[in-house]
Amino acid sequence: MEALVASALGLLTAAGLYLMLRQRTFPVIVGLTLLSYAVNVFIFAVGRLTTNMPPIYGPDVAGYADPLPQALVLTAIVISFGMTAVIVMMALGAFLESGHDKIDMNDDDTPAEGDAK
Amino acid sequence: MSLALIAALPFLGALLPGLMIRAGKNACALVTGSVTALALLMLGLHAPAVLRGEVVQTRIEWIPSLGLNANFFLDGLGLLFAGLILGIGLLIILYARFYLAKSDPMGQFYTYLMLFQGAMVGIVLSDNILMLLVFWELTSLSSFLLIGYWKHLPEGRQGARMALTVTGGGGLAMIAGMLILGNIAGSYDLSVILQNKELIQASDWYLPALILILLGAFTKSAQFPFHFWLPHAMAAPTPVSAYLHSATMVKAGLFLMARLWPVLAGTPEWFYIVATAGLITMVMAAKIALFKDDLKALLAFSTVSHLGLITMLLGFGTVEAATVAVFHIINHATFKAALFMSAGIVDHEAHTRDLKRLGGLRRLMPITFAIVTIASLSMAGIPPLNGFLSKELMLEEAAHTTWMANPWLIGVLATIGALFSVAYSFRFIAHAFLGPVRDDYPHTPHDPGFGLWAAPALLAGLVVLIGLFPMLTAAWLVNAAAGAVTGQDIAVKITHWHGLYAPALWMSLAAIGGGLVLMGLHPRLMALWNATPRPEAKRIFDGIVEPVARLAARLSDALHDGALTRFIAIATLTIVAAGAYAFATGTFAPGLREMTPIYAVPALGWLSLVLATLAIVIYHRNRLLTLVLVGIVGLMVSLAFAYFSAPDLALTQISVEVVSIILMLLALNFLPKTTPVESSGTRRGLDATVAVVAGIAIAVLSFALMTRDPAFAPISDFHIANSKPEGGGTNIVNVILVDFRGYDTFGEIIVLGIAALVIYALTEALLRAGPANDRLLAWRPDQRRAGDRHPMMLVVATRLILPIALMVGVFMFLRGHNLPGGGFIAGLIVAIALVMQYMASGFAWTAARQKVDYHALVASGIVIAAATGIGAWFNGMPFLTSAFGYVNIWPLEQFELATAALFDLGVFLTVLGAVMLALASLSRLGLRAGETVNVQPFDIDPSEGRSLNSEEAR
C-alpha cells in the first residue's frame, strides 16, 4: 500500500498546487483543500502505515499504530477547517467588495471605503 | 527584582492610558503620572545606597547559554540618567495633559510616551549589553511613534522617518560594535566589560568596535555629520521635543559614551574622533541656531550644539573633563526642557513660533517671560545660573587641551561656540519677548493656566537653585555619576569665581561680549546668511534615501510583486530545490521496511481518489462539479484513515468534510459558478510543471519515509505505555489530545475560536454600508431557485433525525476517552445536526427557535478548558494536569470520571460554536441578499395545497 499512498499523496499535492496557481479565488480554495489533505495524510504517514492496529487499548491486540501523528493530524484537520472557513469568507468578501473574484488586484482596484472604517 | 521592576513599570504603565482615557483626560494623565512617580520613588529608595558608592544589582538568568541575562545595575551614572528620565518624564506628563488639543488622542500619546520611557530606563539600568541593545532599538521605535504622533502632518511623518532611519541605522552599527566588544571581553555583562580596559584597548578589534559603537552614539545624539535629523524631528508635539530632544533620547548616545568611557576612552583614536566631532558639532550648530527663526528650530540646533559640547568633554578623556560633562548634562536637561516647554507655550498661546511674527510678549505673558529669561540666560552662560557654572568649567578644560600639537585651537573654537550660544540665547529673549507689543499675532497671547507653566517653572527654579548653591544641590550627584563614569572618587568643587588668572574668565567675557556684538549685527548677518548657498541636509538625505528605496522596491517587486501565484511558485521551487539538495548531499539507509499488502477494495478506493483528483484538475472550471469531486476525495481520505488504524481521524475527517462542503456551497451561492479561461497555454504548462515537480518530490519523499523505520525511536511509546495508567483512558489519541498534549489542544481551540471571530468580524464589515453591502442588496440569484425551498420530506426527516443525531454526538463525546470519539468529533456531529435544521427550514426560522449565542458558546468552551487547566493549580499541579477516578453507582457499571472530560467539554463547545458561527455568518449574508424568511417550517402544505409562506417577510 505504501506505493499507492505515496502516489496518491504526490497526485493530491500536484493537483492542489496546480489549482492554487490559478487566477480565481475558488480554485485556489479548492487547491488549498487538496493540499491540506496531502499534508495531513503525509504527517499521518510519518507514523508509518499499519492496518488493524488502532491505538486503543484492548485485550489480545498485536500492537498499536503510532498515536502521536494521529493526534497531531486530528487537530490539524479541525484547524484547517477553521482556516478554510476564514479564506472562504475572505474570498467572498473580496468578491462582494470588488465585483470580481480574481486573486490579484486589478490596477484600478482601490481599497474600498468600508475598509478604512 | 526591584531594578527590573523600575524598568518594567513604564511598560506596564503603557497599558493603562488606553484604558483610562475613557475615564477622562485628567484620570488618564493622573494614572500615567502615578506610574512614573512610583518608578521614581522606587529609584529614590535606592539613591542613598548608590550615593554611598554602592552598586545595586538585580540578576535574572534568562538564556545563560547565549549570555543573554536580564541583569540590571544601578550606579551613580544610572541614577542620574534614570532620575532625569523619570523626573522630567513626570513633568512632561503634566505638561502634555494641558498642551495637547482636544482632538489629539491623548491615550495614544501617553502610551507611546510610557513605551519610550521604559525603553530609556531600560538602557540606563541594563547591565547586559544585549539587553541594552534591545532597549536601544526600542527607543528608536517608540520615538518614531512619538515624532510622528501628528500623523496628519507630512513633516511629522517625514521627520519620524528620518529620525528612525538615522538612529535605527546607527543602532545597527552599534549592535555589531557591542558584539565585538562583548567578544573581546568574553562576556556581555557591562560590569565585566568595564573591568577589561587593557584587554579591549590592546585588541586589534578595538578600532572597529569603537567606530561602530560611536556610529550608534553619534546618530542618537545628533553629532556631526548625523545632526540633521534632530531639527526635522521638531515636527513632533512640543512635549515630545522637550522630553526626547532635551533630556532623554539624544542623551542616550552621551550616556553610552559615558558608560563605556572607562574602557574606550583615553586613546588617541577616542580623542580625535569624539572630541573633534563634538567640537565641530558644537560650533557649527550654534552658528546655525543663530539664524533660525522658528523657536523650536533654534532650540533644536542649540541642543545639537550643547550635545556636541558634552561629547567634546567626554572626548577629552580626562577625569576632570568627564566630570564637567556630567555636570553639564544635568544643567542642560534643566534649562533646555524648560525652554522647549516655554516655546510650546508661546506656540500654544500665540499660534506661531516664528520669531519674525513674535515680539513684545514680555507684557502679555509675564510668567512665561520670566521662565524663558532665566533658562535662556543659563543657556547663554550668564552668572550666577547653572549654565554659567558648567560652561566656565568647560572653557577651562578646553583651554588646557591640545589638538594635534596646537594648544589654542580647541580653546578658541570653544569660545566661538560659546559666543554663538550667547547670541542665540539673547535673540530668543529679545525677538520673542522684548520690543513693542504687536497687533498682528495670529492669536492674542496671554499666560496659560498653571498646569502648563508649572513644569517649566519648576525647572527654571532648579536652574536658579543649582546656579546659586551648586555644592549643595548638584555636587553630590555629579560626584556619584562622574565617579561611576571614571571609576575614581570624585569630589568636585564648583565655584562661580576661579580667579583673575583663569583663562575661562576671559574666554567667558569674550563670548558674552562677542555674543552681544553679534546680536547687534544680527539683521545684517541674517541677510548675508540668507544670501549664501548652503547644503540642505534634508535634500541630501532624500537624495541618498530615495534611490536606495527605489532600488529596494524594484528588487522586492521583482521577487514578489504581490501576486499570490508568484509567491507560491517561488516558494514551491525553493522548497523542492532545498529538499533535492539535502537529498543529494545527505546519506540515507536502504528502505527495508516491509510493505503492507495491497488488497482489492483499498486499491479501488485509491483508484477513486486518483480519478476524482484528476477530474478536479480537468473540470475545475465547473465549480459545483468540483465540490462534488472534492467530497469524493475527502471521503476516500477518511476511508484511508479508517483502513490504516486511525478511527478517530476517519470520524473527524468525514464530519469536517460535511461542514466544509456546506460552507463552500454557501459561498458558491454568491460566487460565480464557473471559472473563465484566463491564462495562456504556456502559463498553464509552466504551472503544471511546477505542480508536478512538487508532487513527484512529495511522492518520493513519502515513499522513502514509509519504507524505512524511524531513525530515532519515536516518543510515542511513552504515550502508549502511560495512556491508561497516567491518563486514565484507553483511547490513546484522545488521551494525548486532552491530557499529554492538552496545552497544544488548548491553543488550537483558541485558534479555532479566533478564526470564528474573524469570520464574524468580516461579515460585520461586509454588512456595513459600502460596495459589498450595495452588491448584496442588489443581488439577483444567478441560478434558478428551487420551487420548494423547504420540502416537507426533508423537514420531517431532519426533525426526526435531530434527537438521534444529538444523542450520537453525546455518545461520541462520552466515549471519547476510551473509544474513538471525543470533543472534536462530537462538536462536529452536533454542528451537522443543527445545520440540517438550517437547511431544512431556513436559517431564520431555526435561529428563532434555538436561542444559543455562538459567541458565548466559543467563549464558554475556552473558559471551561482554561478553568479545568487552572483547577490543577489548586492541587499543586502544573496547568492542565488531569485527574481521574472510578465511581460505582448502583445499578450502573463502574465508570470513570476524569477532569480531562471537562477539558474535552471545552473543546466540544468551542468546535460547535466556531463551526456554527462560521455557517451562521454566511447565512446572514444570504438574508441581506434578499433571502426571504419563512414563517412556517415548510413552504407548501400538501393537505392545504397552497403556499404557507405567501407573506414572507423580507
Side-chain angles (χ1 to χ4, degrees):
Chain A
M1 288 301 289
E2 275 79 358
L4 295 190
V5 172
S7 57
L9 267 176
L11 183 64
L12 280 173
T13 310
L17 277 172
Y18 178 74
L19 289 181
M20 285 177 76
L21 290 169
R22 298 303 91 210
Q23 307 287 322
R24 300 282 172 152
T25 51
F26 194 79
V28 172
I29 295 170
V30 172
L32 195 65
T33 312
L34 293 184
L35 199 62
S36 307
Y37 289 140
V39 171
N40 287 343
V41 174
F42 179 82
I43 297 173
F44 171 73
V46 171
R48 310 301 188 274
L49 301 183
T50 42
T51 47
N52 293 322
M53 286 198 279
I56 293 169
Y57 285 132
D60 318 319
V61 288
Y64 301 108
D66 194 337
L68 204 55
Q70 294 196 14
L72 296 179
V73 170
L74 199 154
T75 50
I77 294 172
V78 181
I79 291 282
S80 50
F81 163 74
M83 190 183 65
T84 310
V86 170
I87 295 177
V88 164
M89 203 62 213
M90 281 164 62
L92 192 51
F95 174 68
L96 290 173
E97 286 277 342
S98 64
H100 65 77
D101 65 343
K102 291 184 186 149
I103 46 164
D104 296 327
M105 288 213 293
N106 290 337
D107 288 340
D108 56 348
D109 281 345
T110 44
E113 285 281 307
D115 292 350
K117 286 174 193 163
Chain B
M1 194 59 219
S2 151
L3 285 183
L5 198 58
I6 294 175
L9 261 176
F11 287 113
L12 296 175
L15 300 171
L16 296 176
L19 297 172
M20 290 309 297
I21 193 68
R22 288 153 202 256
K25 299 195 163 188
N26 285 328
C28 181
L30 196 67
V31 166
T32 315
S34 38
V35 174
T36 306
L38 182 63
L40 190 60
L41 180 74
M42 290 171 62
L43 187 76
L45 294 179
H46 287 297
V50 173
L51 292 176
R52 279 197 305 272
E54 292 171 26
V55 175
V56 184
Q57 285 193 315
T58 302
R59 307 186 74 80
I60 303 167
E61 300 264 305
W62 183 25
I63 312 176
S65 54
L66 286 182
L68 195 54
N69 301 321
N71 295 344
F72 295 90
F73 82 124
L74 182 69
D75 60 2
L77 186 67
L79 180 72
L80 167 65
F81 271 90
L84 280 179
I85 292 158
L86 293 170
I88 295 188
L90 199 55
L91 296 179
I92 294 293
I93 290 168
L94 167 70
Y95 179 79
R97 159 64 190 87
F98 296 97
Y99 180 84
L100 291 179
K102 276 199 179 66
S103 52
D104 294 328
M106 187 183 276
Q108 240 177 59
F109 181 83
Y110 280 136
T111 298
Y112 296 163
L113 196 75
M114 293 305 273
L115 282 179
F116 175 77
Q117 197 179 76
M120 280 304 300
V121 174
I123 288 182
V124 300
L125 295 186
S126 290
D127 186 4
N128 187 288
I129 52 172
L130 299 178
M131 201 171 64
L132 188 148
L133 289 170
V134 172
F135 284 122
W136 187 274
E137 295 299 316
L138 274 179
T139 60
S140 294
L141 292 176
S142 51
S143 69
F144 172 76
L145 293 174
L146 280 169
I147 297 171
Y149 172 71
W150 281 331
K151 303 179 191 70
H152 55 280
L153 297 181
E155 305 88 58
R157 298 196 300 266
Q158 287 162 8
R161 238 181 359 244
M162 189 191 272
L164 183 68
T165 312
V166 177
T167 59
L172 290 181
M174 202 179 83
I175 291 177
M178 288 294 220
L179 290 180
I180 296 176
L181 198 65
N183 247 356
I184 301 173
S187 166
Y188 291 119
D189 279 349
L190 263 176
S191 37
V192 179
I193 293 173
L194 292 184
Q195 306 298 324
N196 282 306
K197 178 178 178 174
E198 288 76 23
L199 186 68
I200 288 166
Q201 297 197 348
S203 164
D204 291 340
W205 287 94
Y206 166 72
L207 191 59
L210 178 70
I211 290 172
L212 290 168
I213 291 173
L214 286 179
L215 270 177
F218 281 8
T219 49
K220 202 74 151 186
S221 284
Q223 292 303 296
F224 179 83
F226 306 109
H227 59 283
F228 56 87
W229 69 264
L230 204 153
H232 288 283
M234 289 299 133
T238 303
V240 175
S241 312
Y243 194 34
L244 270 63
H245 308 129
S246 72
T248 53
M249 182 167 102
V250 290
K251 297 242 168 85
L254 301 182
F255 169 80
L256 196 81
M257 285 188 265
R259 179 90 284 169
L260 295 174
W261 193 89
V263 287
L264 294 182
T267 60
E269 294 94 329
W270 169 273
F271 175 77
Y272 283 110
I273 299 176
V274 179
T276 312
L279 187 65
I280 295 175
T281 312
M282 178 173 89
V283 179
M284 177 207 63
K287 189 193 74 181
I288 301 177
L290 182 59
F291 298 107
K292 287 290 166 186
D293 286 326
D294 179 2
L295 284 182
K296 276 177 80 178
L298 188 156
L299 291 176
F301 277 104
S302 146
T303 304
V304 172
S305 165
H306 281 266
L307 293 169
L309 188 161
I310 301 169
T311 304
M312 177 186 77
L313 285 170
L314 288 170
F316 286 168
T318 60
V319 173
E320 295 76 25
T323 312
V324 180
V326 168
F327 186 39
H328 197 65
I329 287 174
I330 302 174
N331 296 339
H332 180 250
T334 51
F335 67 69
K336 192 52 69 63
L339 281 173
F340 263 118
M341 290 194 219
S342 307
I345 291 176
V346 170
D347 192 15
H348 199 257
E349 298 301 326
H351 292 197
T352 182
R353 331 185 280 253
D354 192 340
L355 281 174
K356 289 202 291 284
R357 306 203 54 189
L358 292 168
L361 295 182
R362 173 175 89 257
R363 292 179 203 289
L364 298 170
M365 307 174 76
I367 301 175
T368 316
F369 173 59
I371 296 168
V372 166
T373 308
I374 293 171
S376 292
L377 291 180
S378 176
M379 177 160 79
I382 304 296
L385 301 166
N386 63 356
F388 164 73
L389 298 172
S390 44
K391 187 170 285 187
E392 283 268 297
L393 292 170
M394 178 277 285
L395 290 173
E396 190 70 36
E397 293 304 322
H400 297 300
T401 307
T402 307
W403 194 88
M404 292 262 182
N406 189 329
W408 48 264
L409 182 78
I410 288 188
V412 168
L413 286 176
T415 312
I416 293 175
L419 188 150
F420 280 119
S421 183
V422 171
Y424 67 66
S425 301
F426 284 166
R427 181 164 180 248
F428 192 110
I429 304 175
H431 287 192
F433 290 89
L434 302 182
V437 174
R438 301 167 62 146
D439 50 11
D440 60 344
Y441 303 116
H443 185 261
T444 315
H446 52 78
D447 266 325
F450 174 71
L452 210 49
W453 61 258
L458 182 72
L459 289 167
L462 280 176
V463 165
V464 176
L465 275 180
I466 299 176
L468 291 178
F469 312 106
M471 294 308 287
L472 191 69
T473 50
W476 46 276
L477 190 56
V478 174
N479 287 342
V485 172
T486 57
Q488 298 180 18
D489 281 336
I490 305 281
V492 73
K493 192 166 168 346
I494 309 169
T495 57
H496 294 86
W497 181 248
H498 298 275
L500 275 177
Y501 298 103
L505 175 68
W506 305 104
M507 291 159 87
S508 232
L509 283 177
I512 294 173
L516 286 171
V517 172
L518 271 192
M519 226 354 248
L521 294 174
H522 187 263
R524 247 176 287 168
L525 291 173
M526 192 75 186
L528 189 65
W529 169 265
N530 284 335
T532 356
R534 52 187 180 275
E536 175 65 50
K538 185 168 188 310
R539 206 173 308 132
I540 301 171
F541 175 80
D542 288 343
I544 297 172
V545 168
E546 266 168 22
V548 174
R550 261 201 308 278
L551 188 71
R554 208 177 310 151
L555 188 69
S556 49
D557 278 353
L559 282 177
H560 43 87
D561 55 355
L564 180 71
T565 45
R566 190 177 295 195
F567 282 157
I568 294 176
I570 290 177
T572 308
L573 291 177
T574 312
I575 294 169
V576 172
Y581 175 75
F583 199 70
T585 52
T587 55
F588 43 91
L592 298 175
R593 190 184 159 93
E594 200 182 331
M595 286 198 250
T596 44
I598 300 175
Y599 296 107
V601 176
L604 272 179
W606 173 83
L607 191 65
S608 357
L609 186 140
V610 168
L611 290 178
T613 312
L614 288 174
I616 289 174
V617 175
I618 297 167
Y619 298 112
H620 77 267
R621 296 184 193 288
N622 182 342
R623 295 180 172 181
L624 269 174
L625 179 62
T626 309
L627 268 191
V628 175
L629 292 167
V630 169
I632 295 177
V633 175
L635 187 65
M636 288 307 136
V637 171
S638 351
L639 287 177
F641 284 141
Y643 180 71
F644 293 117
S645 318
D648 281 283
L649 290 191
L651 283 169
T652 315
Q653 183 73 61
I654 201 161
S655 34
V656 160
E657 212 52 51
V658 174
V659 286
S660 359
I661 297 284
I662 292 174
L663 183 91
M664 291 207 240
L665 267 175
L666 281 172
L668 204 51
N669 184 27
F670 294 104
L671 292 171
K673 308 295 175 285
T674 54
T675 308
V677 183
E678 279 172 317
S679 39
S680 62
T682 330
R683 171 72 195 272
R684 289 204 296 273
L686 279 175
D687 290 349
T689 316
V690 170
V692 168
V693 165
I696 290 174
I698 288 286
V700 171
L701 177 66
S702 54
F703 185 74
L705 194 77
M706 284 185 283
T707 50
R708 285 161 177 82
D709 282 315
F712 306 99
I715 57 171
S716 308
D717 291 339
F718 167 84
H719 300 108
I720 294 172
N722 291 311
S723 181
K724 180 75 178 169
E726 298 279 329
T730 55
N731 180 358
I732 306 172
V733 172
N734 183 271
V735 174
I736 291 175
L737 284 178
V738 298
D739 196 330
F740 293 133
R741 311 289 307 166
Y743 227 138
D744 293 357
T745 311
F746 184 58
E748 272 154 72
I749 60 173
I750 289 176
V751 171
L752 201 60
I754 292 172
L757 288 182
V758 168
I759 292 170
Y760 177 79
L762 277 170
T763 316
E764 285 287 301
L766 291 178
L767 290 180
R768 244 187 253 150
N773 189 44
D774 297 343
R775 271 200 191 82
L776 279 175
L777 286 175
W779 195 71
R780 291 277 163 273
D782 54 357
Q783 288 204 312
R784 260 190 70 214
R785 304 276 90 183
D788 185 359
R789 291 188 311 150
H790 306 294
M792 194 171 65
M793 292 276 274
L794 182 63
V795 174
V796 173
T798 52
R799 289 294 185 286
L800 274 176
I801 291 172
L802 178 65
I804 303 169
L806 290 178
M807 184 57 76
V808 171
V810 173
F811 174 66
M812 280 294 174
F813 173 75
L814 285 178
R815 72 175 211 160
H817 214 39
N818 293 317
L819 289 166
F824 278 111
I825 297 163
L828 288 163
I829 290 177
V830 172
I832 293 169
L834 296 179
V835 169
M836 280 198 295
Q837 306 304 313
Y838 282 115
M839 286 160 65
S841 297
F843 169 68
W845 188 90
T846 316
R849 278 152 189 81
Q850 177 221 324
K851 297 192 174 58
V852 180
D853 182 11
Y854 298 129
H855 294 87
L857 217 53
V858 173
S860 60
I862 292 174
V863 168
I864 288 176
T868 315
I870 290 169
W873 286 344
F874 295 104
N875 296 316
M877 308 290 265
F879 186 65
L880 277 175
T881 311
S882 74
F884 61 95
Y886 296 92
V887 184
N888 287 302
I889 301 178
W890 189 86
L892 302 172
E893 281 184 48
Q894 182 195 50
F895 64 94
E896 181 204 356
L897 278 181
T899 60
L902 263 180
F903 181 77
D904 220 9
L905 180 66
V907 174
F908 166 80
L909 291 175
T910 311
V911 171
L912 177 61
V915 173
M916 294 310 292
L917 193 57
L919 294 173
S921 297
L922 276 165
S923 307
R924 291 176 58 207
L925 293 184
L927 284 181
R928 181 61 58 91
E931 202 71 43
T932 49
V933 175
N934 47 330
V935 189
Q936 298 291 330
F938 32 84
D939 289 350
I940 299 167
D941 184 350
S943 65
E944 301 277 331
R946 63 184 173 80
S947 172
L948 290 171
N949 284 329
S950 51
E951 292 168 45
E952 286 166 334
R954 174 135 187 196

